[in-house]
Amino acid sequence: MCSLKKRNHIVFIFYICIFLLLIYRIVTIQYVNSEKLTSIANSQYRIERNISELNYLILDSTGKDLMKYKNRFIVEIDPYIFKRYNSNTPLDKIFALTYILRNYSRDYDITNVISSTVSEKIKWNVDEETFNKLMEIKNVNGIYLYIYSETNKSEAWKIQNIISNLDNLDSTNTSANLILETLKKNKPTNIVFERDEDGNIKNKNYAIPEKNVNLRLTLDQDLQEKVNNILNEEKYKLLSEIGVVILESDTGKIKVLTQRDHKNPNIILGSGTANGYVPGSIFKLLVETAALDTKKVSLNEKFLCEVHKDSLCKEPHGNITIEEALKVSCNNVFAQVGKKVGWDNILSYAKAEGLFDKVLNFKGDKEVKGEYREPAIYEDGPRFLSMGQNMLISPLQAINIVNTIVNGGTYVKPYITDALVDINNKEIKVFNTEKKQIMKKTTASTMKDQMIKVVNEGTGKNASIPGVEIGGKTGTTERIDYIKDKDGKEKREKHSDGWFIGFFKIKDKYYSMVIFVKDIDAQGMYGGNTAAPIFKDIVTILLKK
């Protein structure tokens, strides 16, 4: 009797354990692992694919998508579904599918899919015409057609394309790091195919993440396209490459940063160069700024320009003031001014205006820092550096020389990342720039007036427009590139470039602009007849806006 009771007790405990185990399993399935198991179950009747290379948009200042895309037309085949669930599919549809794919490529053979024991999904790329033909064939199971959008990499050096590649952003920069961390959290846009138990696609829709964040730039797409149209005009076809940057002077917002051919390295950033381009005579603006601001030179002081064996001018300008020297771009006078001011003083102003340092903080060779080299004999340093020789800068850095003058001596750092925004272009985080007063307002005012005279009376006449306030400075430079010939030997190659840096006023608002023309003909071409006319054409178009 005791033994029977003991056995019943053991059986009871056994059933209790089984009951508790069942309860545990039910709780685990329904609550703990329900999401995971539901996902597994749904995946049997659901296929989800990413349809975009980028999971964020790069917008212009008005919210327009700046990116250009190229579509890939994809045919995806699930061999298991195709072989199992097409027994009742009319053969003419299978034959049509086979014929269309084989007509596009002999490698795209459905019969191989049928005979294969491989169950992995197959992806084939086709052209748009083939894709559209396949779309007309309905109710063939195991076939999924969708379009994948990728960025147009043929214009890799467009500024928006450089920015869209997040690997180009310097994470040590606070703003860039915030952009990186935010955009990397975005989810992809997917296409979702849902099928029933018989393999039929019963629903196809798009999963668009509503909480994704986009990046808005300061660029004006419409304005940039107008500038591009000018650069591609017939009259400029003989010019090798042209770069343009336009800045909203008071805010530092870059409205245009473009060039004629975006297949070439970005010349505004100095990409593809050792460390930028020789600024030449445009640097004289900064030299005179330092001279007047430190009171090393007065406006009434005169300097003698005469031609001799060591002369830096081809013709004598006589006894002239620094203002007159700027108007005719006299090298002899600025060599004397530079020596009097001293390179240390000039360098201090150059660095304060953002020269010899990156502006947009792109990593690697996407953007240069610039450099300068003093000759071994210190006295010769100011002599050549004051004419913008023995140094390299980017055209984007050059715009600071103008912009600081326009802003009354306040340096306003150019920037291009405007804000992080939601899908409705509502601002989440707005970016700003740095500003600092680096010269006297009276100095800036004097320099501004002189730049206007350069355009109206001096070397910049080809940029003049009657009734429009325009100031600027021309530059024509020579540089030496070291290249390797077919035998691998390094040789020196001489090049000449044309500059025009300046400002203009439209509807009571100032804009700063740099035109850089790469590889001009040294015989007969210079900044005044290459870059200055382009400046004029762009301002003329903007006046009509």
Side-chain angles (χ1 to χ4, degrees), residues 328-381:
V328 297
S329 201
C330 177
N331 290 332
N332 281 339
V333 167
F334 272 89
Q336 296 172 59
V337 170
K339 193 170 182 179
K340 190 169 184 179
V341 177
W343 175 242
D344 291 344
N345 282 324
I346 297 170
L347 180 60
S348 175
Y349 281 86
K351 287 185 174 181
E353 292 187 15
L355 273 63
F356 311 124
D357 203 3
K358 291 187 177 185
V359 180
L360 300 182
N361 300 305
F362 289 125
K363 288 196 296 188
D365 62 354
K366 295 295 184 294
E367 180 184 12
V368 301
K369 289 184 67 174
E371 64 180 359
Y372 63 91
R373 295 176 183 171
E374 289 189 50
I377 301 174
Y378 178 78
E379 287 75 12
D380 285 339

Side-chain angles (χ1 to χ4, degrees), residues 435-487:
K435 299 182 180 183
K436 57 182 177 182
Q437 190 79 24
I438 62 172
M439 73 178 78
K440 301 180 185 72
K441 289 183 178 180
T442 53
T443 302
S445 178
T446 298
M447 293 305 303
K448 184 180 171 187
D449 290 341
Q450 288 191 27
M451 289 175 71
I452 292 173
K453 290 178 181 178
V454 168
V455 171
N456 292 337
E457 306 167 19
T459 59
K461 285 182 180 179
N462 285 330
S464 177
I465 300 174
V468 182
E469 185 181 334
I470 296 176
K473 181 70 186 79
T474 58
T476 308
T477 65
E478 290 185 356
R479 59 183 164 85
I480 302 296
D481 285 351
Y482 292 87
I483 63 168
K484 291 185 178 180
D485 60 22
K486 60 181 181 179
D487 298 322

Side-chain angles (χ1 to χ4, degrees), residues 88-106:
N88 295 323
T89 303
L91 284 177
D92 61 333
K93 291 188 176 183
I94 302 297
F95 288 149
L97 181 72
T98 304
Y99 174 79
I100 293 169
L101 287 168
R102 287 267 297 169
N103 189 53
Y104 178 77
S105 172
R106 291 184 177 274

Side-chain angles (χ1 to χ4, degrees), residues 276-302:
Y277 302 97
V278 178
S281 291
I282 64 169
F283 193 72
K284 291 172 183 174
L285 288 172
L286 193 144
V287 173
E288 184 177 352
T289 293
L292 297 178
D293 211 52
T294 57
K295 296 184 178 180
K296 298 285 185 180
V297 174
S298 71
L299 286 171
N300 297 323
E301 189 173 351
K302 291 196 174 184

Side-chain angles (χ1 to χ4, degrees), residues 125-367:
N125 291 317
V126 297
D127 60 18
E128 186 174 5
E129 182 182 357
T130 302
F131 184 86
N132 290 334
K133 289 178 181 178
L134 293 171
M135 287 289 288
E136 293 176 4
I137 302 174
K138 309 294 184 183
N139 302 322
V140 178
N141 298 318
I143 301 290
Y144 307 97
L145 305 172
Y146 56 95
I147 300 172
Y148 180 82
S149 179
E150 60 186 13
T151 56
N152 187 349
K153 295 179 174 61
S154 66
E155 296 184 321
W157 290 98
K158 268 188 175 180
I159 187 65
Q160 54 264 42
N161 288 340
I162 295 174
I163 293 172
S164 71
N165 183 352
L166 300 184
D167 290 336
N168 292 328
L169 304 185
D170 184 359
S171 60
T172 61
N173 177 271
T174 305
S175 297
N177 186 59
L178 177 60
I179 292 168
L180 280 167
E181 293 300 315
T182 303
L183 297 186
K184 283 181 177 179
K185 293 176 183 177
N186 282 356
K187 295 180 179 180
T189 298
N190 293 335
I191 187 170
V192 181
F193 300 92
E194 295 179 354
R195 63 179 182 83
D196 59 22
E197 293 179 355
D198 296 322
N200 301 305
I201 296 176
K202 63 179 183 178
N203 196 15
K204 181 174 74 172
N205 54 58
Y206 295 92
I208 303 173
E210 294 184 356
K211 293 184 179 180
N212 274 7
V213 177
N214 299 318
L215 178 61
R216 190 176 72 203
L217 305 183
T218 60
L219 296 176
D220 184 324
Q221 185 182 31
D222 291 341
L223 179 54
Q224 188 144 293
E225 287 179 356
K226 289 178 180 178
V227 171
N228 284 336
N229 289 338
I230 292 172
L231 302 188
N232 284 286
E233 287 182 2
E234 182 71 15
K235 61 183 175 181
Y236 298 126
K237 71 175 184 178
L238 295 178
L239 300 178
S240 172
E241 181 60 284
I242 311 166
V244 178
V245 57
I246 301 177
L247 202 66
E248 204 173 65
S249 300
D250 59 339
T251 65
K253 291 183 177 182
I254 298 172
K255 307 309 292 182
V256 170
L257 197 160
T258 191
Q259 63 192 53
R260 186 166 59 193
D261 189 350
H262 294 286
K263 296 183 180 68
N264 297 328
N266 193 302
I267 62 174
I268 295 298
L269 301 177
S271 309
T273 68
N275 228 336
Y277 302 97
V278 178
S281 291
I282 64 169
F283 193 72
K284 291 172 183 174
L285 288 172
L286 193 144
V287 173
E288 184 177 352
T289 293
L292 297 178
D293 211 52
T294 57
K295 296 184 178 180
K296 298 285 185 180
V297 174
S298 71
L299 286 171
N300 297 323
E301 189 173 351
K302 291 196 174 184
F303 300 84
L304 179 62
C305 171
E306 56 185 357
V307 177
H308 48 77
K309 66 182 181 72
D310 295 323
S311 174
L312 299 169
C313 289
K314 294 181 180 179
E315 59 181 46
H317 294 110
N319 213 26
I320 56 176
T321 65
I322 193 171
E323 178 180 328
E324 292 168 330
L326 185 73
K327 197 158 50 175
V328 297
S329 201
C330 177
N331 290 332
N332 281 339
V333 167
F334 272 89
Q336 296 172 59
V337 170
K339 193 170 182 179
K340 190 169 184 179
V341 177
W343 175 242
D344 291 344
N345 282 324
I346 297 170
L347 180 60
S348 175
Y349 281 86
K351 287 185 174 181
E353 292 187 15
L355 273 63
F356 311 124
D357 203 3
K358 291 187 177 185
V359 180
L360 300 182
N361 300 305
F362 289 125
K363 288 196 296 188
D365 62 354
K366 295 295 184 294
E367 180 184 12

Side-chain angles (χ1 to χ4, degrees), residues 451-452 454-456 458-466 468-474 499-504 513 515 527-540 543:
M451 289 175 71
I452 292 173
V454 168
V455 171
N456 292 337
T459 59
K461 285 182 180 179
N462 285 330
S464 177
I465 300 174
V468 182
E469 185 181 334
I470 296 176
K473 181 70 186 79
T474 58
W499 293 82
F500 188 87
I501 66 174
F503 64 86
F504 58 95
M513 176 162 53
I515 309 293
N529 66 5
T530 56
I534 298 171
F535 188 101
K536 178 179 179 177
D537 285 354
I538 292 174
V539 176
T540 301
L543 288 168

Side-chain angles (χ1 to χ4, degrees), residues 407-419:
N407 283 312
T410 299
Y411 164 70
V412 181
K413 186 176 182 179
Y415 73 110
I416 200 166
T417 51
D418 188 27

